[in-house]
Amino acid sequence: MDIRNCSPAIISGLITQLQDAVYVLTDHKVIYANAKMAALLGTTVEALEGQLLLNFVDDQSLATVEDRYRRRVQGETVPNQYEIAMRTASGQKKWVVNHVDTFTDERGALVVIGSMKDITEVNSVKHDLDVFRKQHEERLFRDANFDSLTGLANRLNLINHLTMAKKHQDGLCLILIGFTGLREINDSVGYDIGDRVIVAVARRLLTIVDDAEFLARVAGVQFAVVVSSQCEERLHELIGEVSGLFKRPFVTQFGKFYLNPNLGISLHPGDAVDEITLLSHAHAALSHAKSADTINWIFYDEQLNKDLHARIQMLANLREAIQREQFELFYQPQITTGESKFVGAEALIRWKSPELGYVTPGQFLAYAESTDLIIPIGDWVITQACKQAKALLDLGYEDFSIGINLSAKQFASGDLVQTLKTTLSLLKLPARFVDIEVTESTFLDMGEEVSNQLKELSALGLSLSIDDFGTGYSSLSYLQSMTFNILKIDQSFISRLPGSESDLNLVKAIVNMSKALHLEIIAEGVETEQQLLLMKDLGCDIVQGYYISRPMPAEEFLLWLERNVQPKT
Ligand code: C2E
Ligand code: MG
Ligand code: MG
């Protein structure tokens, strides 16, 4: 089959049928164009004839067209199809796919045959998609690298910044700034206000961070500043400025709130080479800064990390101990100095660790008290000790009380009085069989909150002891105003007797004062017969200590009672 067999009329009809715009050029000029081609360029077939097609090529694509034409004429193989921009007669820009071929006609002239497909619309959709994709990518980048609440760099961004900065700077200093007080705001007036306070914190911090420094929000109300460690002065200036910034309260519609900043600082490369460790060291330092009494900023040192790990481990172990009920109460009897009569016992907690055996409160209680773990532990002690008191009562013992030690946090929980009330009533245990021991510092640190609860407990009929007397503030005025029944002289005074004259005078003074205030006295830590006799001579009513018995597990305590006390019934 050969198209040359077709008449010119047929060929002309065929070309008219084509969907594409078709053109033929010699010497760049149009010698033929179909109606579609004319329509594409916004003109007529007649007007097109003899025109340079290049006149309709948009400036943007002119170089492309000329370059391809030149290479094709030189015999290079160039792709037949490419995208170019055209301009219509009225100046409208159109994107087309241009398909070109060249050949030499029978007279030896170079002829260009081409067709064009209008892809303006396709391109505009593509363009919209590109814009959308770009915006989407930008949004993803923003979400991944910036904090949506404050607009500051986030943790990931901080890590990336540290990675870059450590390549360009000789020494870096990472300051992690945490705040106490936000939880109270969230709890009392809601997260919305809490969020606004966080934004306000970010704004305040921005005012003290220089352009060359880096500020990020790492988590909650925790921010990080990266500065050069070369300038120690700047570092100290920043520490001072942070403290100064938060002396002012945050004013909200619900009132004024204060946040207290704490700073944990770690240095690159001294403390850590990689950025994740650097950050975790700053965290360790921050935790210590939070628990420090006198200073609110701490530089990382290796010991801190060990302490922190020990603390985390201990808290995890204690949580498990609560779940598995690994605690036990030991009982240490108290007897009168006159007739060696049993008058009570103090309940002392032990943690029966599967790995460590019996662990004394000195080794774990402070950890529990630094968190809310002391609440479930304290509740367990209350129940257990009251059950023991009830058991003694059922066995026929009388005139005794079981002493329960309470921590300051238990008073702060607000449920203490109710817990004791419920426990007593469930066990049908009269309140006088329970004695509550609080230290002077618990009582004095917490002020009215504790004294009000103690008054309620006293009104219920519980006896109240002031524990470790002499080691705390020893402010005596509260003894008069409060309803304490018993004063326990701290064992440190007894342990130096009878040798130390000053301790002897002190114990004498305490005993006399207690008598004047109608308080019973218990001397703690009596280890020898000599000390017991001395206490008796001084007029101290009751003693407790290794000389009488070490603290014992419940079963052993019952055996001790059997040997030493005759139940009334
Ligand atoms: P504490 O209330 O002053 O208890 C007396 C401490 O002195 C007990 O130490 C006891 O074993 C010890 N001790 C008794 N007699 C002697 C003695 O003759 N010589 C010497 N050197 N020590 C003696 P423990 O059991 O290690 O308890 C330490 C502290 O832990 C207690 O001091 C108390 O403050 C606290 N604690 C114990 N159990 C509990 C509890 O269930 N809850 C709370 N919140 N604190 C508790
Ligand atoms: Mg005690
Ligand atoms: Mg004590």
Side-chain angles (χ1 to χ4, degrees):
M1 214 174 344
D2 191 339
I3 195 156
R4 279 170 291 193
N5 295 335
C6 298
S7 69
I10 295 175
I11 293 173
S12 154
L14 193 65
I15 292 170
T16 316
Q17 278 296 307
L18 288 176
Q19 289 301 309
D20 290 348
V22 177
Y23 61 88
V24 182
L25 313 175
T26 54
D27 215 7
H28 297 297
K29 287 185 187 139
V30 178
I31 58 164
Y32 173 78
N34 67 356
K36 292 237 166 55
M37 183 68 189
L40 178 79
L41 298 177
T43 179
T44 60
V45 171
E46 293 72 28
L48 256 185
E49 195 172 339
Q51 285 231 39
L52 283 172
L53 189 61
L54 286 175
N55 286 345
F56 290 90
V57 176
D58 188 79
D59 291 348
Q60 183 182 351
S61 299
L62 214 48
T64 315
V65 174
E66 285 175 338
D67 176 62
R68 286 186 185 231
Y69 180 77
R70 185 181 44 76
R71 283 161 58 196
R72 187 182 292 278
V73 172
Q74 286 170 356
E76 263 186 61
T77 323
V78 275
N80 283 36
Q81 192 166 299
Y82 52 99
E83 271 181 37
I84 52 170
M86 302 294 284
R87 282 267 164 208
T88 65
S90 62
Q92 190 193 350
K93 187 171 174 177
K94 281 189 176 175
W95 281 95
V96 299
V97 175
N98 190 25
H99 192 279
V100 226
D101 217 343
T102 48
F103 68 92
T104 317
D105 69 6
E106 50 276 6
R107 285 168 300 178
L110 188 71
V111 180
V112 177
I113 300 179
S115 67
M116 286 186 180
K117 189 179 237 143
D118 189 348
I119 55 160
T120 311
E121 266 194 17
V122 177
N123 262 17
S124 99
V125 172
K126 202 171 127 223
H127 173 77
D128 287 352
L129 276 176
D130 282 348
V131 171
F132 177 78
R133 193 181 307 120
K134 205 159 160 242
Q135 283 173 347
H136 183 64
E137 278 164 5
E138 277 169 7
R139 202 166 46 238
L140 282 182
F141 178 80
R142 219 175 33 242
D143 290 353
N145 289 278
F146 292 89
D147 164 42
S148 59
L149 183 64
T150 61
L152 292 181
N154 64 11
R155 188 175 177 280
L156 177 72
N157 201 335
L158 169 71
I159 303 276
N160 290 339
H161 174 82
L162 287 170
T163 312
M164 293 303 293
K166 69 184 194 186
K167 284 186 194 150
H168 302 296
Q169 275 173 265
D170 281 343
L172 291 176
C173 174
L174 174 63
I175 310 171
L176 209 56
I177 310 170
F179 294 84
T180 49
L182 186 74
R183 207 165 105 195
E184 287 71 20
I185 298 177
N186 283 336
D187 288 351
S188 59
V189 293
Y191 285 90
D192 233 25
I193 300 290
D195 279 357
R196 270 187 245 171
V197 169
I198 292 174
V199 173
V201 170
R203 273 204 218 113
R204 283 192 195 179
L205 288 173
L206 275 170
T207 62
I208 56 162
V209 174
D210 289 352
D211 288 347
E213 297 162 353
F214 186 85
L215 175 65
R217 180 182 173 214
V218 182
V221 68
Q222 210 173 77
F223 296 82
V225 182
V226 183
V227 297
S228 160
S229 64
Q230 299 295 306
C231 180
E232 214 173 290
E233 252 172 50
R234 172 64 184 140
L235 186 57
H236 285 283
E237 181 183 78
L238 258 178
I239 292 172
E241 281 177 341
V242 170
S243 302
L245 273 184
F246 297 96
K247 292 216 160 74
R248 268 185 300 129
F250 292 92
V251 183
T252 75
Q253 74 229 59
F254 298 104
K256 290 179 186 169
F257 294 99
Y258 287 88
L259 290 187
N260 296 316
N262 295 291
L263 290 78
I265 305 161
S266 65
L267 303 171
H268 175 274
D271 294 333
V273 186
D274 77 287
E275 39 286 339
I276 303 287
T277 315
L278 194 68
L279 187 57
S280 88
H281 285 354
H283 265 291
L286 178 61
S287 302
H288 280 79
K290 274 185 185 160
S291 52
D293 290 335
T294 48
I295 196 162
N296 73 337
W297 55 273
I298 286 183
F299 276 90
Y300 169 80
D301 82 46
E302 218 166 295
Q303 188 55 42
L304 286 187
N305 215 11
K306 285 191 192 135
D307 290 354
L308 189 72
H309 282 143
R311 181 182 145 77
I312 291 169
Q313 187 62 53
M314 176 58 93
L315 291 176
N317 290 346
L318 282 180
R319 265 193 198 102
E320 196 174 300
I322 293 171
Q323 269 170 11
R324 304 201 171 168
E325 298 207 14
Q326 288 171 352
F327 295 107
E328 196 174 324
L329 284 186
F330 276 32
Y331 296 89
Q332 188 176 34
Q334 299 155 338
I335 60 165
T336 58
T337 46
E339 298 165 351
S340 299
K341 185 174 161 265
F342 168 72
V343 288
E346 178 172 7
L348 295 159
I349 193 167
R350 299 290 179 266
W351 168 26
K352 204 172 172 182
S353 155
E355 291 88 29
L356 308 168
Y358 279 120
V359 183
T360 56
Q363 292 166 274
F364 71 88
L365 217 54
Y367 291 101
E369 283 171 344
S370 71
T371 67
D372 286 342
L373 288 181
I374 190 62
I375 306 294
I377 297 177
D379 286 351
W380 179 86
V381 169
I382 289 172
T383 311
Q384 234 25 53
C386 289
K387 276 186 183 167
Q388 188 62 56
K390 175 70 175 161
L392 294 194
L393 196 59
D394 291 346
L395 285 169
Y397 294 100
E398 279 185 346
D399 301 330
F400 69 88
S401 65
I402 296 292
I404 300 176
N405 292 283
L406 293 183
S407 302
K409 269 237 164 108
Q410 290 176 271
F411 286 93
S413 81
D415 297 331
L416 182 66
V417 175
Q418 195 51 47
T419 304
L420 275 158
K421 229 182 192 171
T422 315
T423 312
L424 293 175
S425 97
L426 279 177
L427 292 169
K428 298 197 173 61
L429 175 69
R432 70 191 147 89
F433 292 100
V434 176
D435 175 57
I436 294 299
E437 295 191 12
V438 290
T439 61
E440 281 180 288
S441 57
T442 298
F443 175 67
L444 291 169
D445 280 352
M446 311 259 312
E448 262 193 18
E449 206 179 350
V450 171
S451 60
N452 287 341
Q453 292 178 56
L454 286 178
K455 276 179 195 146
E456 283 185 65
L457 294 180
S458 177
L460 286 177
L462 290 130
S463 125
L464 302 183
S465 291
I466 190 95
D467 201 358
D468 300 347
F469 186 82
T471 56
Y473 298 77
S474 299
S475 140
L476 302 178
S477 56
Y478 70 87
L479 282 177
Q480 278 169 313
S481 57
M482 273 305 300
T483 45
F484 283 110
N485 308 85
I486 300 169
L487 181 149
K488 298 185 80 174
I489 307 177
D490 190 66
Q491 51 177 275
S492 56
F493 301 107
I494 313 298
S495 70
R496 290 187 287 258
L497 294 182
S500 160
E501 197 161 330
S502 60
D503 282 330
L504 185 66
N505 289 333
L506 206 89
V507 172
K508 270 186 197 163
I510 296 174
V511 171
N512 290 335
M513 177 198 69
S514 307
K515 297 246 158 185
L517 294 169
H518 307 292
L519 291 168
E520 269 186 300
I521 312 153
I522 299 183
E524 295 189 285
V526 171
E527 295 187 358
T528 63
E529 187 182 15
Q530 221 182 353
Q531 287 170 340
L532 174 88
L533 294 174
L534 186 58
M535 287 302 120
K536 186 178 170 187
D537 283 352
L538 291 177
C540 170
D541 319 312
I542 303 163
V543 285
Q544 172 185 345
Y546 293 169
Y547 180 66
I548 295 95
S549 167
R550 285 186 176 260
M552 301 165 275
E555 315 81 68
E556 218 178 293
F557 172 52
L558 289 178
L559 292 176
W560 184 93
L561 286 174
E562 272 178 30
R563 281 199 307 274
N564 294 282
V565 190
Q566 290 300 312
K568 285 266 163 71
T569 50

